[in-house]
Amino acid sequence: MNPPNFSSPIQNLLKLASDLRGEGGCPWDQEQTHSSVIPHLLEEAYEVVDTIEAGDDSHLKEELGDLLFQVVFHCQLAKERGAFGWEDVVQGIFDKLVFRHPHVYGEISLNSGTEVLNQWDELKAKEKEMKSGNKIKTQLSHTLDGIPKALPAIQRSEKIQKKVAKQGFNWPTIAGVFEKFKEEIRELEVELTKTNAISNKKAEYDEKTEDELGDLFFLLVNLAQKLSIDPETCLRKANQKFERRFHSLEEMVQLDGKQIVDQSLEELDQYWEKAKMKIKNEVNN
């Protein structure tokens, strides 16, 4: 079988997906379903994020291609079921974006990103109403309907809290969130003390402790929103900062002819401070 050779790159990619799934194609691709390739879709999306944050245009081009193929592959699977195809997906997103940008393709004038986002939400609600038609409502509507359950927990928490905040269910000030955070910290400490976990290196799983810890995570997301900080990005940066420092610490310990596991916590803390200073100096230079 010769590879596709159309004048259009997207037509080549669509035909390639069809070939992989068709007779004489790839056994692995032929076995896949929408559900089975979910991990690959998520992985490719995260790899795109990594290259954007690294400012690596060469790899960004490659990773966007990988992500695009995930879309093409799902379209091929759907086409085989007679559900929809690539053209339907492209036309659908085109129509949706034209509808949601009347300030670009219509007479409406908007002057800020906030106004655009508010209008976006209004148009989404209008779309939902149009799709449901004039049917008599047989059940109550819910503010949190439509938030994907498969989202990473922090992103889903962020969307939940943004939606309820628009209904007025939120602390009016940062101080209110911070006071609640301190209250939850105290409640967690009480729970840890009850189970003697606070003095242990590692405690057994406790449902009440998990519940209190979850409340803290939820509040941190709310605090991030109040500060106009994206919590997912914030945590990724914290992970990256820790990785850089620990990598530097490892190198220092190894250059001294030692092993990390043989060092006391006090000795490792000294290496940690040196690693922080080393990285700080590298950034300043």
Side-chain angles (χ1 to χ4, degrees), residues 10-284:
I10 190 62
Q11 288 300 320
N12 285 332
L13 194 60
L14 291 168
K15 183 61 167 63
L16 183 145
S18 176
D19 288 346
L20 294 178
R21 291 277 300 172
E23 185 178 351
C26 172
W28 184 89
D29 290 284
Q30 291 166 347
E31 294 172 357
Q32 302 313 306
T33 65
H34 287 295
S35 297
S36 70
V37 292
I38 285 175
H40 305 288
L41 175 62
L42 293 173
E43 181 180 345
E44 297 300 352
Y46 287 129
E47 287 181 357
V48 168
V49 174
D50 283 345
T51 55
I52 290 173
E53 292 184 340
D56 188 341
D57 284 341
S58 174
H59 282 97
L60 176 58
K61 179 179 67 174
E62 178 184 346
E63 297 301 344
L64 285 173
D66 292 340
L67 184 58
L68 174 61
F69 184 70
Q70 290 296 314
V71 177
V72 167
F73 195 77
H74 278 283
C75 288
Q76 176 62 31
L77 293 175
K79 184 178 180 180
E80 292 169 12
R81 294 186 289 108
F84 57 81
W86 167 262
E87 293 80 5
D88 303 304
V89 171
V90 174
Q91 188 64 49
I93 187 61
F94 173 81
D95 292 341
K96 179 192 289 186
L97 291 176
V98 168
F99 178 77
R100 292 189 186 178
H101 288 81
H103 52 292
V104 177
Y105 298 109
E107 303 301 322
I108 295 176
S109 178
L110 300 177
N111 300 312
S112 71
T114 300
E115 290 179 340
V116 171
L117 290 177
N118 290 336
Q119 176 187 253
W120 184 274
D121 288 337
E122 291 173 7
L123 291 172
K124 279 180 68 176
K126 188 175 179 180
E127 277 178 343
K128 187 175 180 180
E129 186 178 331
M130 290 165 61
K131 287 178 181 177
S132 63
N134 296 319
K135 297 178 183 177
I136 298 174
K137 290 185 178 179
T138 57
Q139 59 182 13
L140 297 175
S141 61
H142 298 283
T143 299
L144 302 180
D145 286 348
I147 301 177
K149 289 181 171 56
L151 279 176
I154 286 182
Q155 291 182 359
R156 192 159 193 270
S157 176
E158 184 182 20
K159 286 187 176 293
I160 287 171
Q161 297 189 55
K162 280 183 177 179
K163 283 204 168 189
V164 299
K166 288 180 180 177
Q167 303 298 318
F169 193 76
N170 199 4
W171 286 275
T173 64
I174 292 174
V177 184
F178 209 67
E179 283 304 312
K180 183 64 176 176
F181 186 78
K182 289 189 284 187
E183 176 187 326
E184 294 292 349
I185 282 282
R186 289 193 293 270
E187 290 181 6
L188 177 61
E189 186 177 15
V190 168
E191 202 56 41
L192 292 173
T193 303
K194 279 183 188 177
T195 59
N196 292 321
I198 202 162
S199 58
N200 295 338
K201 288 184 177 180
K202 186 176 180 180
E204 295 295 324
Y205 168 77
D206 180 75
E207 187 174 351
K208 181 60 177 173
T209 300
E210 180 187 58
D211 186 56
E212 296 294 349
L213 192 58
D215 290 342
L216 284 173
F217 280 123
F218 197 82
L219 280 168
L220 278 173
V221 173
N222 189 283
L223 182 59
Q225 288 184 344
K226 290 284 189 190
L227 298 171
S228 299
I229 294 172
D230 176 65
E232 186 75 20
T233 301
C234 183
L235 184 55
R236 276 205 310 273
K237 287 182 177 179
N239 289 339
Q240 291 164 2
K241 179 171 67 176
F242 181 89
E243 285 176 315
R244 287 195 303 270
R245 290 176 177 177
F246 194 79
H247 182 77
S248 180
L249 176 152
E250 280 185 308
E251 289 182 344
M252 289 180 178
V253 173
Q254 290 171 14
L255 287 172
D256 285 345
K258 303 175 182 177
Q259 297 292 323
I260 288 180
V261 293
D262 297 330
Q263 309 307 302
S264 67
L265 185 58
E266 290 74 16
E267 290 170 324
L268 288 176
D269 190 53
Q270 292 175 7
Y271 277 112
W272 181 259
E273 292 302 320
K274 290 178 182 177
K276 284 170 61 177
M277 185 60 65
K278 178 175 179 288
I279 292 172
K280 183 178 180 181
N281 291 337
E282 289 173 353
V283 171
N284 291 336

